[in-house]
Amino acid sequence: MAIGTGVALAVYFIGMLAIGLYSYRESTSDVSGYMLGGRKLGPAVTSLSAGASDMSGWMLLGLPGAMYVSGFSASWIAIGLLLGALANYLLVAPRLRVYTEVARDAITIPDFFEKRFEDNSRLLRVISSVVIVIFFTLYTSSGVVAGGKLFDSAFGMNYQLGLYITAGVVVAYTLFGGFMAVSMTDFVQGCIMFVALVTVPIVALSEVGGAAAAAETVREIDPTMLDMFGGIGAVGVVSAMSWGLGYFGQPHIIVRFMAIRSVKDVAAARNIGMSWMFVTLVGALATGIVGLAYVTRMGVGLDDPETIFIVLSSDLLFNPWVGGFLLAAILAAIMSTISSQLLVSSSSLTEDFYKIFLRRSASQKELVMVGRISVLLVAAVAIALAYNPESNVLTLVSNAWAGFGAAFGPVVILSLFWRGMTRAGALAGMIAGAVTVLFWIYAPITIDGRELSAVLYEIVPGFAICLAVVVVVSRLGPPPRESVIATFDEMERVKAEALGERAPERAGKAGAETGPVT
């Protein structure tokens, strides 16, 4: 490793740890401060922390790698993500921010489900917590894999040592600073990712002689790579764009909406977040296709397509000091997501298991301590799952993303818009969505020799089945209690009052409604 690169990375690590220590004072007094930062996030921090925790290592490794291998057909993933993120800001963010406060200050997604439906059996809370812990452990392992690949490819270090370095720094600042540290580091990391994904493709493009020369090189390799429909049919387009459905059910993203300072700040957060996302996604796609032209023209060897950003960021294009900054961008993408996932998993283990089943009388400081221990436990399991260097980052992310999107997405949307949704409908839909995704991934069934998930992305059947089950079970069973409906109406009244809107007029009870959307 060049001295300049090492110094740049060291400065980055020290900065992240410093933010964690600075945030320590905000996270030690009570569990709400540790898990939600006291609901004090401004729109800029909210949007960039949501974006950075969303995009993770796949933004700089997985997506450029997909573009490198498949060409412009991979851009359908980015289009779906843009549309899904915008819908998430418009549909989920305002209502969830108000509802989680109106529903007795819910601070986790399982907590919200339980309070939204007044579920005294606590089954909703437990099942949703199990889904979070299972899929987030898998999701976290994908980030650790990306960290190991970075240290292996860029520095020639042992892959497993890279796992420990990546996870170690993230655990340290998450452990000390909680949600506030995670959000502040995500903001900084989002800025670093933005600069890197603008700089790398532009410099690489100039090295290959411009856009026309790059396109000609790619055309010589495979002309269909410049066609958005090249090698991909209608089902493939649907599968790629369906990534956008996952946004509605990602706990580490929508928890930012719960923590924003005010519902009035959502519009500003949306504008900042969507602008950031558009530029970074275009940069990631450009890195993959321009990187293909670069390594072909320059005769550079590339064993793993997911390392194309690393290759372009090394001494081939930049001096070690700049290269160190760009490699820090990869770490920023990786670590921002790992920290968010660790914190959400820790929140569920603390609030939804320990506090409910083991120590109902636990003090706030005890719960904060249990939260920190939970961070360590989840990180240890994620490292163990990531020990195989052959793991594919995009595959791991896609499985976890589908699991959350199918299990939680329809439940979150309908719980925010439908008065008549019931606890039984939410529970049945959540289970149906998760089971469908797992079946689609692991069932020994093939179509024309291809596995089900290779034919159609598992989030599509999972989301559709979850949605249908929620509606059917809610319709067939008894309507929700009057107190549940009253809280829903209170949410709508508070939201309308805060945003200067007219609150909807209600006539009749939930059972008399004609549809699932108000």
Side-chain angles (χ1 to χ4, degrees), residues 48 55 106 130 174 176 180 184 202 227 233 250 291 304 364 400 406 444 470 482:
L48 261 67
M55 291 309 176
V130 169
T174 306
F176 283 109
M180 189 61 70
M184 290 175 67
I202 290 177
D227 182 1
Q250 305 300 318
D304 185 350
Q364 291 296 306
V470 171
E482 287 296 323

Side-chain angles (χ1 to χ4, degrees), residues 272-340:
I272 296 170
M274 292 309 301
S275 299
W276 178 92
M277 187 177 181
F278 176 79
V279 173
T280 52
L281 281 173
V282 170
L285 293 170
T287 297
I289 200 71
V290 176
L292 174 61
Y294 178 86
V295 299
T296 301
R297 289 173 70 92
M298 303 300 176
V300 177
L302 186 69
D303 296 327
D304 185 350
E306 288 192 336
T307 62
I308 182 60
F309 184 91
I310 299 173
V311 170
L312 296 180
S313 302
S314 68
D315 294 350
L316 293 175
L317 291 180
F318 299 95
N319 69 52
W321 294 92
V322 178
F325 171 82
L326 296 174
L327 292 175
I330 303 176
L331 281 171
I334 294 167
M335 292 165 62
S336 61
T337 303
I338 294 175
S339 60
S340 298

Side-chain angles (χ1 to χ4, degrees), residues 137 169 235 266 309 388 396 405 408 440 449 465 467:
T137 303
V169 175
V235 174
V266 169
F309 184 91
N388 179 12
L396 289 170
F408 289 159
W440 211 261
I465 288 175
L467 185 67

Side-chain angles (χ1 to χ4, degrees), residues 26-315:
E26 296 283 346
S27 63
T28 54
S29 58
D30 57 51
V31 72
S32 179
Y34 187 73
M35 303 300 183
L36 273 189
R39 299 185 192 262
K40 298 177 183 177
L41 294 192
V45 175
T46 297
S47 57
L48 261 67
S49 66
S53 64
D54 161 24
M55 291 309 176
S56 74
W58 81 268
M59 165 76 95
L60 285 90
L61 299 178
L63 189 56
M67 192 73 165
Y68 183 97
V69 171
S70 305
F72 274 77
S73 60
S75 61
W76 289 110
I77 296 176
I79 294 171
L81 289 173
L82 277 171
L83 295 176
L86 179 60
N88 210 24
Y89 271 111
L90 292 172
L91 300 177
V92 174
R95 287 173 175 257
L96 188 66
R97 172 61 181 85
V98 174
Y99 216 153
T100 52
E101 197 161 18
V102 169
R104 294 179 288 143
D105 195 30
I107 63 175
T108 67
I109 296 301
D111 190 23
F112 167 66
F113 288 150
E114 178 178 279
K115 291 174 178 176
R116 159 67 172 85
F117 297 102
E118 296 182 7
D119 178 23
N120 296 324
S121 72
R122 304 213 141 152
L123 270 176
L124 261 178
R125 188 177 194 130
V126 172
I127 296 298
S128 55
S129 298
V130 169
V131 171
I132 284 176
V133 173
I134 290 175
F135 283 113
F136 258 153
T137 303
L138 180 66
Y139 209 150
T140 303
S141 71
S142 73
V144 180
V145 167
K149 284 190 174 186
L150 171 64
F151 281 94
D152 179 31
S153 176
F155 311 131
M157 295 175 60
N158 178 272
Y159 170 81
Q160 282 77 21
L161 179 59
L163 301 182
Y164 287 111
I165 294 175
T166 303
V169 175
V170 179
V171 167
Y173 71 71
T174 306
L175 205 67
F176 283 109
F179 186 85
M180 189 61 70
V182 168
S183 297
M184 290 175 67
T185 53
D186 282 354
F187 175 80
V188 175
Q189 290 160 340
C191 293
I192 295 173
M193 291 165 64
F194 184 92
V195 173
L197 284 168
V198 170
T199 303
V200 169
I202 290 177
V203 174
L205 196 62
S206 67
E207 288 290 320
V208 298
E216 184 59 33
T217 301
V218 174
R219 191 175 292 111
E220 291 173 359
I221 298 169
D222 183 355
T224 64
M225 296 188 74
L226 297 177
D227 182 1
M228 288 186 65
F229 295 95
I232 184 173
V235 174
V237 172
V238 171
S239 289
M241 290 191 68
S242 66
W243 277 70
L245 291 174
Y247 273 105
F248 307 118
Q250 305 300 318
H252 61 303
I253 297 174
I254 61 179
V255 74
R256 262 65 182 184
F257 303 152
M258 296 163 60
I260 195 170
R261 186 173 53 204
S262 165
V263 68
K264 295 179 181 179
D265 290 327
V266 169
R270 180 184 68 238
N271 294 336
I272 296 170
M274 292 309 301
S275 299
W276 178 92
M277 187 177 181
F278 176 79
V279 173
T280 52
L281 281 173
V282 170
L285 293 170
T287 297
I289 200 71
V290 176
L292 174 61
Y294 178 86
V295 299
T296 301
R297 289 173 70 92
M298 303 300 176
V300 177
L302 186 69
D303 296 327
D304 185 350
E306 288 192 336
T307 62
I308 182 60
F309 184 91
I310 299 173
V311 170
L312 296 180
S313 302
S314 68
D315 294 350

Side-chain angles (χ1 to χ4, degrees), residues 67-68 167 284 332 355 363 366 401 405 407 427 502:
M67 192 73 165
Y68 183 97
K355 183 180 177 180
S363 67
E366 181 181 344
W401 185 267
L427 186 60
R502 181 178 179 182

Side-chain angles (χ1 to χ4, degrees), residues 364-513:
Q364 291 296 306
K365 288 199 172 184
E366 181 181 344
L367 292 174
V368 171
M369 179 59 66
V370 171
R372 289 179 169 137
I373 294 172
S374 299
V375 167
L376 287 172
L377 291 176
V378 175
V381 175
I383 290 172
L385 292 175
Y387 240 66
N388 179 12
E390 300 301 318
S391 300
N392 184 280
V393 175
L394 193 60
T395 299
L396 289 170
V397 170
S398 68
N399 291 345
W401 185 267
F404 282 126
F408 289 159
V411 177
V412 169
I413 293 172
L414 291 179
S415 69
L416 297 175
F417 282 88
W418 187 20
R419 296 165 88 217
M421 182 178 175
T422 66
R423 164 196 169 276
L427 186 60
M430 191 183 302
I431 294 172
V435 170
T436 300
V437 166
L438 292 173
F439 173 84
W440 211 261
I441 295 171
Y442 297 110
I445 300 174
T446 59
I447 299 176
D448 294 330
R450 302 167 67 197
E451 295 178 349
L452 292 177
S453 58
V455 175
L456 180 66
Y457 186 26
E458 54 268 18
I459 198 173
V460 177
F463 194 97
I465 288 175
C466 175
L467 185 67
V469 169
V470 171
V471 173
V472 170
V473 173
S474 295
R475 286 289 189 187
L476 293 179
R481 288 190 289 254
E482 287 296 323
S483 55
V484 173
I485 297 173
T487 304
F488 182 96
D489 291 344
E490 174 70 3
M491 175 273 294
E492 291 206 316
R493 184 193 67 77
V494 172
K495 181 184 78 72
E497 189 175 276
L499 298 178
E501 302 171 345
R502 181 178 179 182
E505 296 181 6
R506 297 296 183 188
K509 298 181 181 180
E513 292 184 20

